[in-house]
Amino acid sequence: MAETSETTGAGELGSRPRKSSWRYIGPGIVVAATGVGAGDLVATLIAGSKFGYTLMWAAVIGCLVKISLAEAVGRWHLATGRTLFDGWRTLGGWTTGYFAVYVVIWGFVYGATAMSSSALPIVALFPDGPGLKTWAIITGLVGLVFVWFNQYAVFEKVMTVLIGVMFIVVVYVAIRVSPDIGASFAGLLPVLPDGSLVYTLGLIGGVGGTITMAAYGYWVNAKGWSDTSWMKVMRIDNRVAYITTGVFVVAMLIVGAELLHSSQIALTKGDQGLIDLGDILEDRFGAGTAKLFLVGFFAASFSSLIGVWHGVSLMFADFVERIRAARGVTGEEKATRETVARQERSVPFRAYLLWLTFPPMTLLWLDEPFGLVIGYGVLGAFFMPFLALTLLWLLNSSRTPREWRNGWLSNGMLGAAGLLFIVLCVKQVIDLPW
């Protein structure tokens, strides 16, 4: 039964509004740390290197888009007491089919990508040590062991430390390159230079926008927030997270604009671009700054790895549990901290952890098969439009208690996000190596 203000009266402790407090902040930090990976940082750097400060406004709009999406995910979990997959399942069997195919193919390819990304800065920091493949396997195994033996509370603390390292390093480097404050503010005026449309759309839709945004609701429940009394706290948590993400994006744009744009230096696409930046920082500011940056690079990559290992495994465990409930094998449960804690120890959770870790290791030695690249690209491109549009559907229907349905602002933001992600989806599919 959906939980509303009528079903949880003022006399019940769980329905009393919670006072907002900084000590509650957590799930948002986790989703922000997971969503901002090395590839996102490189894309932002390249945008800054090509167009200077001109696209600063796009970074700000992107931050607002992510706030609206994550808020919608959290609001669904708290207002209904149901998980996001439970909501998707009510929209028809097509959602189950899409997610089942997506989570298998995406997880296989992403596992290899995450391990390689985490290994790159370690290889750069210790050039005389083991090679990339060895470090990639080690980071994957460390992530597996950490998530396997720890529950959400410890996971959140480690993620907070990693995002703290990311924040300090990225902001320090941005300050070190001496930003042009006047140009930064001028960049808040919406302007589209020639050839900038793709980069603009990428800045708005790309940084911090992955399947882990859907995992936010599961982390909200893992924190112990399970009813509408936590709505205000969730919204503050979410805003803090994506304002932090906005600071990352702005800082990397500054680095790209000051360090690369003025010197017309081009970076390699993909994670290798951050190694290039480390070399440039060493030439300009010395080995200490370069090594500090590589530590921040590792924090960004490894936080994404363990965030996906935990968050998407939770989603998969819930996926299996809801399928079994639909078949009458188990009963459906309200989404609570206890439910999440049980799922963290479940066979589906750990099976998906193993899927993310061991099969992808084969891709470290092999070029990704053509068909797998296409499937991964298509499914990945469709996920964010799928998330935005299904949230619009769920939060404007009787599935959500009336007082927590979308208003005009939420509908406008989610509609704009859905349109943006559809455009990005088409562009990504067109660019695949067909």
Side-chain angles (χ1 to χ4, degrees):
M1 183 176 181
E3 186 174 348
T4 67
S5 57
E6 287 76 20
T7 58
T8 55
E12 294 183 32
L13 181 62
S15 67
R16 295 175 187 167
R18 307 282 175 170
K19 293 182 180 179
S20 56
S21 171
W22 290 103
R23 67 188 176 87
Y24 290 131
I25 300 301
I29 294 297
V30 171
V31 78
T34 305
V36 180
D40 297 308
L41 298 183
V42 173
T44 308
L45 274 172
I46 292 175
S49 70
K50 287 181 176 292
F51 304 104
Y53 292 95
T54 310
L55 300 182
M56 191 73 77
W57 62 274
V60 175
I61 291 178
C63 181
L64 296 176
V65 167
K66 302 309 182 310
I67 287 174
S68 66
L69 274 169
E71 188 275 343
V73 172
R75 178 154 46 95
W76 166 264
H77 275 248
L78 296 182
T80 66
R82 303 165 75 182
T83 65
L84 187 55
F85 182 76
D86 204 11
W88 285 339
R89 195 164 52 83
T90 68
L91 301 180
W94 65 275
T95 59
T96 300
Y98 169 74
F99 185 78
V101 177
Y102 173 83
V103 80
V104 172
I105 296 178
W106 182 89
F108 183 45
V109 180
Y110 180 82
T113 303
M115 288 185 274
S116 295
S117 178
S118 298
L120 267 174
I122 302 177
V123 172
L125 281 166
F126 306 103
D128 297 327
L132 181 68
K133 292 183 180 66
T134 302
W135 278 119
I137 291 171
I138 290 172
T139 58
L141 292 175
V142 169
L144 170 69
V145 171
F146 172 74
V147 174
W148 189 290
F149 290 104
N150 288 292
Q151 292 187 295
Y152 177 78
V154 176
F155 166 72
E156 182 191 286
K157 288 180 173 62
V158 171
M159 292 292 277
T160 302
V161 170
L162 290 171
I163 202 170
V165 172
M166 291 164 59
F167 188 90
I168 291 169
V169 169
V170 170
V171 171
Y172 167 76
V173 172
I175 294 171
R176 193 76 194 270
V177 300
S178 303
D180 184 331
I181 303 299
S184 299
F185 281 104
L188 296 175
L189 181 68
V191 174
L192 272 179
D194 289 342
S196 67
L197 180 60
V198 172
Y199 293 96
T200 303
L201 293 174
L203 273 179
I204 295 173
V207 180
T210 69
I211 188 176
T212 52
M213 293 199 72
Y216 178 59
Y218 293 84
W219 287 324
V220 162
N221 293 146
K223 184 73 169 175
W225 308 346
S226 56
D227 57 45
T228 55
S229 68
W230 292 100
M231 198 71 76
K232 182 178 180 181
V233 175
M234 180 276 293
R235 285 171 168 161
I236 293 173
D237 172 74
N238 174 43
R239 289 166 192 164
V240 168
Y242 281 99
I243 289 171
T244 303
T245 301
V247 171
F248 285 140
V249 178
V250 168
M252 293 306 278
L253 266 177
I254 289 171
V255 174
E258 292 293 341
L259 203 59
L260 307 175
H261 181 65
S262 58
S263 306
Q264 295 298 300
I265 298 172
L267 290 182
T268 306
K269 288 186 178 181
D271 298 347
Q272 187 63 39
L274 293 183
I275 300 297
D276 296 346
L277 181 60
D279 294 338
I280 295 165
L281 287 170
E282 183 168 3
D283 291 340
R284 181 89 172 263
F285 301 112
T289 298
K291 290 186 183 300
L292 182 64
F293 176 75
L294 290 171
V295 171
F297 175 4
F298 173 75
S301 297
F302 192 66
S303 63
S304 293
L305 186 152
I306 61 173
V308 167
W309 263 229
H310 186 273
V312 184
S313 296
L314 266 183
M315 292 184 69
F316 182 77
D318 184 58
F319 165 75
V320 173
E321 190 166 288
R322 302 297 164 175
I323 294 297
R324 295 181 70 202
R327 293 173 178 171
V329 178
T330 62
E332 289 195 31
E333 292 185 67
K334 185 176 180 292
T336 63
R337 174 162 47 194
E338 290 70 26
T339 304
V340 173
R342 179 177 48 73
Q343 288 174 338
E344 286 176 313
R345 298 187 297 271
S346 69
V347 171
F349 179 89
R350 291 179 169 175
Y352 194 73
L353 263 180
L354 296 173
W355 174 253
L356 281 168
T357 306
F358 291 105
M361 288 179 183
T362 60
L363 297 182
L364 298 174
W365 278 269
L366 302 172
D367 290 332
E368 294 171 4
F370 177 78
L372 192 59
V373 172
I374 298 298
Y376 173 76
V378 171
L379 289 167
F382 273 95
F383 185 79
M384 291 305 286
F386 170 80
L387 176 62
L389 297 177
T390 53
L391 283 170
L392 262 177
W393 190 345
L394 290 169
L395 293 169
N396 282 290
S397 72
S398 59
R399 297 171 181 84
T400 304
R402 183 174 297 279
E403 65 179 304
W404 299 111
R405 292 177 197 168
N406 278 359
W408 65 268
L409 181 59
S410 293
N411 278 327
M413 292 298 291
L414 287 177
L419 182 61
L420 165 71
F421 291 127
I422 287 171
V423 173
L424 286 171
C425 172
V426 171
K427 173 71 171 59
Q428 188 172 337
V429 170
I430 291 172
D431 289 345
L432 286 170
W434 297 98

